[in-house]
């Protein structure tokens, strides 16, 4: 008996725990054998499950996944989009082969982290907003109405870290709305509900169409890194290693 079925929950028995210990070893050996044979035949196939934060997953990775799939059409790719903290958690739990998050973050030793490109956070306002010709101080904008991502998002964390680096208190922001979608935030700004900080990747085409204006800051540009993470102890299949190599290039 592997499980005790109780009202509203299932518990693993000691026998189940013991079997799980061996099942993990069997699974790992099976994957290792498959990888060794595929290496000999120089074949790349199987499944690849990655996670990405909103900005990376919506605006950067899709084109890269298309290019990778053209090289390795036998690899079945799944990409889930969450905020950075959720991606980190899923990689820690072994549910993802790799994760892509915004900004460097504090990581446990079991996670391998590689810097992987980056973007720039910009301040956007509605198209009818009167923009000064001279750069404006970020401190003067704190009392404006802000529409921001949720606190666990990489964009929010990176912006607040920049505020702190300039001696400004992030809690002083007049945050009137928090939304979990970049597109929803863009629509709210377009409707005149406030201003926001967003990746330049997310609004490049919108700005070119004249839908938003960008505020220039006295403090300069807000640069941000992206990070690729994977679990050191999770078995990496042939397709995962090829993808990580492809990403690095």
């Amino acid at each position: 008996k592997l499980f005790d079925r109780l009202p509203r929950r299932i518990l693993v028995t000691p026998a189940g725990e013991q079997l799980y210990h061996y099942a993990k070893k069997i699974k790992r050996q099976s994957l290792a054998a498959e990888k060794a044979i595929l290496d000999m035949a120089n074949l790349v196939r199987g499944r690849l499950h990655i996670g990405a934060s909103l900005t990376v997953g919506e605006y950067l990775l899709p084109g890269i996944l298309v290019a990778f799939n053209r090289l390795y059409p036998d690899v079945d790719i799944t990409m889930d989009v969450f905020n950075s903290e959720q991606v980190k958690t899923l990689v820690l739990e072994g549910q993802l082969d790799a994760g892509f998050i915004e900004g460097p973050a504090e990581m446990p030793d079991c996670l391998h982290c590689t810097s992987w490109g980056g973007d720039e956070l910009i301040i956007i306002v509605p198209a009818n907003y009167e923009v000064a010709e001279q750069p404006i101080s970020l401190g003067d904008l704190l009392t404006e109405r802000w529409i921001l991502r949720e606190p666990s998002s990489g964009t929010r964390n990176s912006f607040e870290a920049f505020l702190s680096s300039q001696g400004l208190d992030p809690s002083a922001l007049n945050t009137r709305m928090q939304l979990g979608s970049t597109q929803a935030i863009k629509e709210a700004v377009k409707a005149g509900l406030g201003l926001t900080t967003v990746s330049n990747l997310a609004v490049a085409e919108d700005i070119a169409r004249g839908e938003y204006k960008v505020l220039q800051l006295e403090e300069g540009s807000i640069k941000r890194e992206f990070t690729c993470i994977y679990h050191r102890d999770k078995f990496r299949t042939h397709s995962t290693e090829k993808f990580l190599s492809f990403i690095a290039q």
Side-chain angles (χ1 to χ4, degrees):
K1 185 177 181 181
L2 304 179
F3 300 98
D4 285 324
R5 300 180 182 275
L6 304 177
R8 298 185 180 179
R9 60 177 177 161
I10 297 176
L11 298 178
V12 182
T13 65
E17 293 280 4
Q18 186 77 343
L19 179 60
Y20 179 62
H21 172 74
Y22 287 101
K24 286 196 297 183
K25 291 184 177 180
I26 293 169
K27 178 68 173 177
R28 192 176 184 88
Q29 288 295 319
S30 173
L31 290 172
E34 180 182 8
K35 179 184 174 185
I37 294 171
L38 291 175
D39 282 345
M40 292 179 65
N42 198 29
L43 296 174
V44 182
R45 66 187 183 201
R47 297 181 181 276
L48 176 66
H49 190 185
I50 64 174
S53 59
L54 211 60
T55 300
V56 183
E58 290 189 346
Y59 302 103
L60 197 57
L61 271 181
I64 293 173
L65 293 179
V66 169
F68 180 78
N69 189 246
R70 285 173 180 162
L71 283 177
Y72 306 107
D74 293 328
V75 177
D76 295 327
I77 304 172
T78 299
M79 180 178 72
D80 292 323
V81 177
F82 305 99
N83 65 41
S84 293
E85 192 61 33
Q86 290 170 321
V87 172
K88 174 183 169 182
T89 299
L90 290 171
V91 173
L92 270 172
E93 293 174 350
Q95 297 185 43
L96 298 174
D97 295 315
F100 297 85
I101 61 175
E102 299 155 13
E106 188 173 336
M107 296 287 175
D109 292 338
C110 63
L111 294 186
H112 176 86
C113 305
T114 303
S115 180
W116 182 71
D119 66 349
E120 179 182 339
L121 295 182
I122 57 177
I123 310 296
I124 61 169
V125 294
N128 59 0
Y129 190 98
E130 293 187 11
V131 177
E133 294 183 3
Q134 300 298 322
I136 188 170
S137 169
L138 193 51
D140 293 338
L141 295 174
L142 295 183
T143 56
E144 293 277 351
R145 293 179 301 174
W146 285 85
I147 305 167
L148 297 175
R149 286 283 307 281
E150 71 280 11
S152 56
S153 82
T155 296
R156 176 82 173 262
N157 291 338
S158 296
F159 181 57
E160 291 184 348
F162 183 80
L163 287 173
S164 297
S165 72
Q166 301 300 315
L168 301 172
D169 182 7
S171 65
L173 280 168
N174 180 24
T175 306
R176 304 299 293 272
M177 192 178 296
Q178 297 182 105
L179 300 173
S181 162
T182 300
Q183 188 59 39
I185 289 176
K186 288 163 59 177
E187 292 299 323
V189 172
K190 188 186 297 185
L193 299 182
L195 66 163
T196 192
T197 180
V198 68
S199 169
N200 62 322
L201 299 174
V203 289
E205 294 181 1
D206 306 286
I207 292 171
R209 290 193 297 265
E211 296 181 8
Y212 303 99
K213 292 179 181 177
V214 180
L215 297 185
Q216 303 299 323
L217 301 176
E218 290 181 359
E219 293 82 0
S221 58
I222 309 174
K223 300 292 186 181
R224 177 175 64 166
E225 292 182 7
F226 296 147
T227 303
C228 171
I229 60 176
Y230 62 83
H231 203 298
R232 297 182 188 274
D233 299 327
K234 179 177 170 61
F235 182 83
R236 291 186 296 280
T237 64
H238 196 40
S239 56
T240 299
E241 290 195 339
K242 282 292 184 182
F243 180 70
L244 291 173
S245 176
F246 183 81
I247 283 292
Q249 294 172 15

